[in-house]
Amino acid sequence: MARIAKRTLKNGSQSFTAEVRLRGFPHTSKTFRTVSEAQKWAKLTEASMLSGSFNATSRSTQIKFKDAVALFRKSSSLKKSWLRSKNNMRMLSFWEKELGDYKLQAISTSLIFQLREKLLSEVTFRKIPRSQATCNRYLSGLSVIFQCCVEEWGWLERNPVRNLRRLKENPGRSRVLNQEEQNRLLEACSNDQDLEDLVKMGLLTGARRGELQGLMWEDIDFNEKMLCFRDTKNGDNRWIPLTDESFKILNKRYEKSDRNPYNWVFPSSNPLKPQDFHRRFKKALNQANLIDFRFHDLRHCAGSILAESGISDLLIGEILGHKSLEMVKRYSHVRPKNLKESMRFLDSNLS
């Protein structure tokens, strides 16, 4: 007996899983993009079972995890997946090393649990234990591969990672600069014009270091005073308005630029790459005597300033590029006055 199950994916598209259950044969299923394909496969499978030509050891049961990874790496439809970024490819390499020779059908939730424990027990290259948040990112990366096996290629019926409960994570960092610390940092950057511009842009836009370093002149609309960060961490393009100060910084750089072939806003000696400010920023932090501070914390500074100004969580999320409002809630503690004012409406209800 065949059954077609309809499912709506996160991106709004639909998939159809055909299931064939016939006495004397193993439960067989496969997922398709259209209902007609699912119905056709179900009829052919059921017919082959009744005729005696059905092969229970189909190709999909023989596919190994490394085959799925290889297909994922070259799949053009998945190029914008967050897992394809250079920094996240190490996660894929870990799972390929540990699970590469396993057949997809043989990878169970319990096996994944054991490998998660291995991740937790290891230390990173910085000689510190791997955090639970990092382990969750590794699991999310593995889940991407298995979900492709379910939704894209129809090799599996279920994603075994989804049965594993995620580890509890510590609250996100909320390190921000006070006015005196900010002045010290800008003073330390004052002898390096490029670094000073980058730090100011970080405070004025809340953008990530990689987003700012990768800016090109074509990403800036000087007429409309808009700035676009392309292929961000979330895989989307993000447009934000330029403030008067950020407009002045970029306009000044544009007037002094030599219109390098690749049009980097922060060009380096290598025309193929923009400048990398990692070491120079670290040196500036030492000169400013700032402890436990990273470039990414400039993003928290911008978020806190927006929250103090009464900007809504929704707008802060759009400016900073957060897909979830949970990420924005870390700034809630900086607006007690707004909350106090809002709570007065409850008093008025009884008056």
Side-chain angles (χ1 to χ4, degrees):
M1 181 178 180
R3 185 173 73 90
I4 308 297
K6 179 181 175 181
R7 181 183 176 192
T8 302
L9 308 181
K10 289 183 177 179
N11 60 6
S13 62
Q14 295 178 336
S15 66
F16 300 86
T17 300
E19 295 180 293
V20 178
R21 297 178 183 269
L22 202 61
R23 181 174 295 180
F25 294 90
H27 171 217
T28 307
S29 66
K30 192 172 181 180
T31 302
F32 299 87
R33 288 293 185 186
T34 64
V35 67
S36 59
E37 290 177 335
Q39 290 172 340
K40 183 178 179 180
W41 177 87
K43 288 180 180 179
L44 290 174
T45 301
E46 193 170 10
S48 65
M49 288 179 175
L50 293 172
S51 66
S53 61
F54 177 74
N55 181 11
T57 57
S58 61
R59 179 178 178 274
S60 63
T61 63
Q62 304 302 312
I63 294 174
K64 295 183 178 180
F65 181 77
K66 62 183 178 183
D67 300 323
V69 173
L71 181 57
F72 177 84
R73 290 182 190 275
K74 66 180 182 180
S75 178
S76 59
S77 64
L78 302 169
K79 279 186 176 179
K80 288 191 175 182
S81 171
W82 64 271
L83 191 58
R84 296 287 290 270
S85 69
K86 184 178 179 180
N87 291 334
N88 292 326
M89 286 299 282
R90 67 181 182 277
M91 301 181 188
L92 197 56
S93 298
F94 170 83
W95 294 117
E96 189 173 18
K97 177 183 176 183
E98 298 293 337
L99 298 172
D101 290 326
Y102 279 84
K103 293 178 181 177
L104 290 174
Q105 304 279 357
I107 300 175
S108 62
T109 302
S110 59
L111 174 58
I112 298 171
F113 173 81
Q114 294 173 22
L115 292 174
R116 187 187 72 179
E117 294 303 300
K118 180 179 179 180
L119 275 170
L120 281 170
S121 64
E122 291 179 344
V123 294
T124 66
F125 67 92
R126 295 177 180 174
K127 308 299 181 183
I128 58 176
R130 188 173 279 112
S131 70
Q132 296 190 157
T134 299
C135 289
N136 283 341
R137 300 296 87 72
Y138 271 77
L139 287 175
S140 296
L142 180 62
S143 184
V144 168
I145 302 298
F146 276 111
Q147 205 57 30
C148 286
C149 293
V150 174
E151 298 178 358
E152 297 284 336
W153 309 315
W155 292 343
L156 289 174
E157 182 181 352
R158 296 180 181 87
N159 180 348
V161 183
R162 291 195 167 183
N163 295 329
L164 193 61
R165 186 174 297 175
R166 294 298 190 266
L167 297 167
K168 185 177 181 180
E169 300 183 15
N170 293 326
R173 283 172 58 96
S174 57
R175 171 76 163 95
V176 296
L177 297 172
N178 59 39
Q179 192 61 53
E180 193 268 336
E181 288 178 322
Q182 180 174 303
N183 291 340
R184 291 198 332 246
L185 175 59
L186 293 176
E187 177 64 27
C189 298
S190 60
N191 294 326
D192 185 336
Q193 188 62 61
D194 288 341
L195 179 60
E196 183 181 16
D197 287 349
L198 188 85
V199 170
K200 286 183 176 180
M201 288 298 296
L203 289 167
L204 292 167
T205 65
R208 302 174 179 90
R209 179 165 63 92
E211 293 172 345
L212 290 169
Q213 288 180 178
L215 276 177
M216 305 180 88
W217 290 121
E218 63 191 47
D219 301 327
I220 303 165
D221 187 334
F222 285 103
N223 292 327
E224 298 295 331
K225 292 189 175 182
M226 296 289 290
L227 171 64
C228 181
F229 297 111
R230 302 188 186 277
D231 294 329
T232 63
K233 180 181 177 182
N234 291 328
D236 299 326
N237 293 339
R238 183 172 84 256
W239 284 92
I240 64 170
L242 287 171
T243 64
D244 291 340
E245 190 61 32
S246 59
F247 178 83
K248 289 178 183 177
I249 292 172
L250 292 175
N251 193 49
K252 186 175 180 180
R253 292 189 65 83
Y254 183 76
E255 290 175 351
K256 292 184 177 180
S257 68
D258 58 0
R259 313 298 194 275
N260 58 86
Y262 286 84
N263 290 316
W264 302 111
V265 175
F266 296 98
S268 67
S269 56
N270 182 352
L272 298 177
K273 296 181 180 180
Q275 292 185 59
D276 187 344
F277 292 89
H278 178 73
R279 292 184 179 179
R280 288 149 67 184
F281 182 72
K282 191 173 182 180
K283 182 179 178 181
L285 291 178
N286 291 332
Q287 291 178 356
N289 194 26
L290 291 176
I291 301 173
D292 187 32
F293 193 82
R294 306 173 303 187
F295 192 95
H296 196 79
D297 293 326
L298 295 175
R299 183 170 168 83
H300 302 321
C301 293
S304 297
I305 293 171
L306 290 171
E308 287 176 344
S309 302
I311 306 300
S312 70
D313 288 351
L314 183 61
L315 289 178
I316 293 176
E318 287 191 24
I319 293 171
L320 299 183
H322 290 312
K323 284 198 170 182
S324 169
L325 290 182
E326 288 296 319
M327 298 293 293
V328 186
K329 287 184 178 179
R330 69 182 67 185
Y331 309 121
S332 297
H333 68 283
V334 300
R335 25 181 175 200
K337 292 181 180 178
N338 296 43
L339 292 176
K340 186 175 181 180
E341 197 67 35
S342 300
M343 294 296 287
R344 289 178 181 170
F345 287 103
L346 297 177
D347 280 345
S348 64
N349 184 52
L350 291 178
S351 301

